[in-house]
């Protein structure tokens, strides 16, 4: 379900590195050449390119890109080139430092990645920041948000499909009780969302709908302006319906006065190789416009080219 | 600092398996033979024995031991034979199911293992119980205990030595404030103990002592009967002084009417290959009796033999 297009004949890593080095040399930078290489290599290939580039030219490829590129184009190329766990660590660190109660990036990273991927991101966080992710989240957040976010980023959920239907029933009831009492930040809601496996949560929320008639997220919308409720809804969506969550992030990033490039860049860079095909379908269904057309309308230049490349524009 | 004695010439795995199989055959069980083999093999060797035994005789070695042995001797041989992450998963599961507010096994596992070891235990928990450790802890505990235990077992601390002295000072002050206010289960105390690295916590507690005169655990003893305070003290001890913590567990397990075999077995089985030498020294210093003499006085039979074997009795 990746939208990345890797040519059937990929040049050798040494050639790729040489071409990239050429793209940085002389007057100006050859952005098209950079896109044509990095925009068409998968995660293992990019990792190898970065390694061989460093060995050949004595400089980290990311440093070179950072020096040559600017603005949104720079950001998407850098994020894309980073290894996924490092990228998540970087995004999570940025989110903790600039944290506000409307920032949902931590929820996104904690809940849309697989348990193993989240763990690798926590490993990368140790290596890069010499602290743990949960340590920084706990330090920079407070109150109910901290109560939810720390267990979410610390979770190492069971990743299998085994589901306990007795728990699903009893916990659907428990969730409904607590939501009816508007006790949204209670221990039980947080415990269930932060520790149960995704399969188990899905079963519980299906029970919820069967038993009480509404999607839980509908019941979590009592006050549309309440930011804690918003983050709870994001948590639920990221856990059981990540593609819909990402479609909405893209939709909101485009459908506003001035594009939110930060969000658009993040979603494209992190999902292109994962589930961007489904997100694109979801986008078209919800907006009646293909995602590539919406992006082309809202962005320009090399940034636009890189986004379209990563979402597989013009490929069949 | 292990007390395990592995002979310089170890028989082949096939021979070990054959001998074990022989020990189970015929009338009665040859316990001495079992001790002489399993009590003198390191973790990698035991793992291989279990694997080859299963392949050769079509039965899990643990199942065979379970059938042949009984009581405390059975328990120590089983715990010892388990791979450490599986053993921790097993002990943690037992502790959640039988959880009471005086049960400190979860704290022990969460805080005396390295961050990586705790993670492996969580992995083993997934594999064996089809749920996550934090999920079961959250489900079986409540109130302040849950507030502390869930982040402790979910932690994946930074494992390096880098320390931030500014934080150490400010957080020592914060801890002292909260303890003075008797706000023991506040977010800050739990955040610091559950997320900071062991090196960082050590630095903070040194600052605490320098600045405020007392060991933090002295200040956490305002009410010696308060079980939440007791678990906070255990947390601190497990994090910064695990050998002293284990010495005390052993001391209390022996110095009471009727030995607490559960605790004694657990500590010997989990620490023999880790830091039992230091725990033994600590024990002798604190009790003026060598640990092996104390154990020999309080236990009997094959159980005694196995304990003494694992703590290196009679070895130089």
């Amino acid at each position: 379900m990746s939208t990345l297009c890797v040519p059937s004949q990929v040049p050798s890593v040494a050639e790729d590195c040489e071409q990239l080095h050429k793209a940085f040399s002389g007057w100006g930078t050859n952005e098209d050449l950079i896109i044509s290489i990095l925009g068409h290599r998968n995660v293992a290939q990019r990792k190898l390119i970065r390694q061989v580039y460093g060995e050949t030219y004595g400089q980290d490829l990311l440093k070179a890109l950072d020096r040559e590129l600017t603005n949104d184009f720079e950001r998407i190329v850098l994020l894309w080139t980073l290894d996924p766990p490092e990228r998540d660590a970087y995004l999570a660190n940025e989110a903790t430092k600039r944290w506000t109660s409307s920032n949902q990036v931590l929820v996104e990273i904690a809940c849309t990645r697989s348990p193993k991927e989240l763990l690798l991101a926590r490993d990368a966080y140790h290596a890069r920041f010499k602290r743990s992710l949960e340590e920084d989240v706990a330090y920079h957040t407070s109150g109910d948000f901290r109560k939810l976010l720390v267990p979410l980023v610390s979770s190492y959920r069971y990743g299998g499909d085994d589901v306990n239907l007795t728990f699903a029933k009893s916990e659907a009831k428990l969730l409904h009780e607590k939501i009816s009492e508007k006790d949204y930040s209670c221990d039980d809601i947080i415990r269930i969302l932060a520790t149960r496996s995704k399969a188990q949560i899905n079963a519980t929320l299906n029970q919820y709908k069967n038993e009480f008639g509404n999607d839980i997220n509908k019941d979590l919308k009592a006050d549309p302006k309440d930011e804690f409720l918003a983050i709870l809804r994001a948590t639920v969506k990221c856990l059981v319906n990540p593609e819909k969550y990402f479609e909405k992030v893209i939709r909101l990033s485009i459908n506003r006065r001035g594009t939110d490039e930060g969000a658009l860049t993040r979603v494209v860079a992190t999902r292109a190789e994962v589930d961007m095909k489904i997100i694109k379908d979801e986008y078209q269904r919800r907006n009646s416009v293909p995602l590539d057309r919406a992006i082309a309308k809202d962005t320009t230049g090399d940034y636009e080219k890189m986004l379209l490349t990563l979402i597989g524009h013009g490929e069949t």
Side-chain angles (χ1 to χ4, degrees), chain A:
Chain A
M1 295 162 297
S2 155
T3 48
L4 176 70
C5 306
V6 179
S8 52
Q9 297 279 343
V10 178
S12 73
V13 187
E15 269 175 83
D16 276 349
C17 290
E18 204 188 315
Q19 290 296 310
L20 283 170
H21 194 245
K22 218 178 260 174
F24 305 147
S25 314
W27 273 99
T29 303
N30 189 340
E31 282 86 1
D32 284 338
L33 187 54
I34 295 174
I35 296 173
S36 75
I37 298 170
L38 292 176
H40 294 280
R41 298 294 179 273
N42 67 28
V43 57
Q45 293 165 336
R46 297 195 304 277
K47 194 170 181 172
L48 210 57
I49 288 174
R50 187 173 164 199
Q51 185 197 320
V52 172
Y53 190 95
E55 289 164 8
T56 313
Y57 301 105
Q59 185 183 32
D60 190 339
L61 174 60
L62 291 175
K63 277 253 162 64
L65 290 167
D66 181 46
R67 205 188 49 220
E68 296 293 329
L69 312 181
T70 53
N71 302 333
D72 297 324
F73 180 58
E74 173 186 356
R75 186 166 165 93
I76 190 152
V77 173
L78 287 180
L79 282 184
W80 173 248
T81 306
L82 277 170
D83 208 33
E86 262 188 287
R87 186 203 289 147
D88 282 346
Y90 176 83
L91 289 169
N93 178 260
E94 209 179 54
T96 55
K97 285 191 303 190
R98 305 180 186 171
W99 190 77
T100 64
S101 52
S102 64
N103 186 326
Q104 302 184 343
V105 177
L106 290 168
V107 165
E108 179 179 310
I109 292 173
C111 301
T112 67
R113 278 37 165 181
S114 75
K116 204 81 200 177
E117 286 167 350
L118 176 57
L119 204 61
L120 291 174
R122 291 165 79 188
D123 256 335
Y125 203 99
H126 287 180
R128 178 153 185 165
F129 302 107
K130 310 287 178 206
R131 291 188 304 276
S132 70
L133 171 57
E134 61 266 34
E135 180 174 5
D136 281 358
V137 171
Y139 186 75
H140 285 95
T141 58
S142 61
D144 288 344
F145 291 91
R146 172 148 85 192
K147 194 176 169 190
L148 173 68
L149 289 170
V150 173
L152 284 183
V153 302
S154 309
S155 70
Y156 183 38
R157 302 172 196 269
Y158 169 59
D161 291 326
D162 293 62
V163 158
N164 180 324
L165 280 177
T166 314
F167 281 168
K169 282 186 187 172
S170 63
E171 295 189 343
K173 195 157 162 278
L174 192 56
L175 289 173
H176 187 256
E177 269 171 37
K178 298 296 176 183
I179 291 174
S180 305
E181 295 162 8
K182 298 192 187 300
D183 193 3
Y184 303 118
S185 63
C186 70
D187 283 9
D188 283 311
I189 293 184
I190 288 174
R191 170 181 66 79
I192 293 168
L193 293 179
T195 69
R196 293 298 189 199
S197 75
K198 294 185 184 183
Q200 181 69 36
I201 291 174
N202 196 47
T204 301
L205 299 187
N206 282 331
Q207 279 295 328
Y208 187 100
K209 193 151 55 174
N210 295 343
E211 197 72 22
F212 306 107
N214 273 347
D215 259 340
I216 191 170
N217 268 3
K218 195 153 185 195
D219 293 343
L220 287 173
K221 225 173 173 168
D223 174 1
K225 287 209 171 147
D226 181 320
E227 283 182 330
F228 186 71
L229 282 183
I231 211 165
L232 277 184
R233 292 195 303 273
T235 304
V236 167
K237 224 162 168 183
C238 285
L239 287 169
V240 300
N241 224 327
E243 295 87 4
K244 280 202 174 172
Y245 166 85
F246 285 119
E247 183 281 325
K248 189 175 176 188
V249 174
I250 295 184
R251 172 160 34 98
L252 296 181
S253 77
I254 291 180
N255 294 354
R256 50 181 249 170
R257 207 175 287 266
T259 311
D260 177 356
E261 287 86 2
L264 182 59
T265 298
R266 186 181 79 243
V267 175
V268 172
T270 58
R271 307 317 289 181
E273 223 167 343
V274 184
D275 51 7
M276 185 50 83
K277 243 184 197 142
I278 310 176
I279 298 171
K280 269 167 76 177
D281 290 347
E282 199 61 43
Y283 188 90
Q284 176 142 22
R285 188 173 322 139
R286 180 69 176 71
N287 302 276
S288 312
V289 176
L291 179 59
D292 42 12
R293 209 186 301 157
I295 288 181
K297 198 171 147 238
D298 252 47
T299 59
T300 58
D302 300 318
Y303 177 55
E304 174 193 349
K305 279 188 216 164
M306 184 68 179
L307 288 172
L308 293 179
T309 299
L310 293 182
I311 68 164
H313 174 66
E315 311 285 338
T316 45

